[in-house]
Amino acid sequence: MDSSLAFGPNEIRSYLKVNGWAPVDGGGLAELWSLPGLADEVVLVPLKPNAPDFTKRVHILLNDLARVEAQETRAVHEAIATVYHDVTDLRASHPSLSDGSIPLEAGYELFVSAKRLRVASAAATLRRQGHFRNFPSRAREQAREVRIGQTRRGSYIVPIISQARSPLEVYTPGQKDIDAGVEEVLFDRRVTATMSRALGVLEEMASAEREPTPSEITDSVGEGVSYELCQALAKVVNADSVNALDISFNWSRVAAPPPGAPPQVTFNQDAIEIIDKVSTQLKTRTSTRQHLIYGVVTNLSRQPDDDDGRVGVRTLLQRRIRVVWMTLPPDVYHVAVRCHDEGVPVQVQGVLTSPPGGHATMEVSHFGPDPSLPLGEPTGR
């Protein structure tokens, strides 16, 4: 397959499906897809990336789709290439940026802050903490795994491209186990979901008619806000070169958007003044650490006379699949039972103890369906 295409048959099929196309005929070499309601619109999808005419056939397909959808061919190409990805656009604006360029120092800060935002969000996806000082190594690794797309006009836009799901494997309702490879992909989506919610909370605090109270700032940590996240924003927005930063979240069409995640947030210089105050409190306050794990419920145990129940959640710790044991009160235990019966992935927050060679346990403060993967209906507390 031509590496310049950046996608293959799976991406093409998924893109066509979410845009209303359906297969009507085909075999091992190619398929014909039609768009219901437009009887004359049929496109050919090549299925063999190693075939000598694969690239030629794909370019014909791109031109056909661009014509039908009234888009530029490049836009269709990008949409197919990112069909399994979330794209977060960072847009820096200033009255002087009318030509789509940006001062060198401001551009540098924007790219560096893109990394800082991802690292801080990845760290908060692993544990809730107001001030990290030292990021978990997994958080730093995640920032190296995401990609930056080509900058786009519209003031000055830097797209961050991260995985939302695997083209071949993804969890569905009824999931009874986890796969390490799928978990690595889902971690990207969880980081983006954490970033969107945390930035949404910061935007709400910055746009309120009053300054946030100390308790509100403390509560924001539970949504992924941290000193490091605040600093990443403050580094970009300054009076000289950038007076506003818009961040929009373009969720993958084949992975449902996380519920409650804002589609766009905006921070101007007035907002940064509030964020600086939030940042100062988070840096100076005594911070408690709450770990987060993600996985599926595989073990349930409760005796008839017991109120609490013992639950085992299969998860990925240090990139190894392990079972974390926890004791849950009756109402939360029932949530665990429903998640187990329906195969709904869960998110658990609390104090984690994971001795080498011993049983991993967690003192739970929150248990419920994974909010970044809206696959089921059970609700926790």
Side-chain angles (χ1 to χ4, degrees), residues 217-239:
I217 294 175
T218 298
D219 290 343
S220 73
V221 175
E223 295 295 333
V225 175
S226 67
Y227 165 80
E228 288 78 8
L229 188 78
C230 294
Q231 287 294 295
L233 290 173
K235 291 286 187 181
V236 177
V237 182
N238 60 72

Side-chain angles (χ1 to χ4, degrees), residues 335 339 344-347 366-373 376-381:
V335 173
C339 288
V344 175
V346 297
Q347 172 186 290
H366 173 86
F367 183 102
D370 184 348
S372 60
L373 307 175
E377 297 301 327
T379 57
R381 69 169 174 85

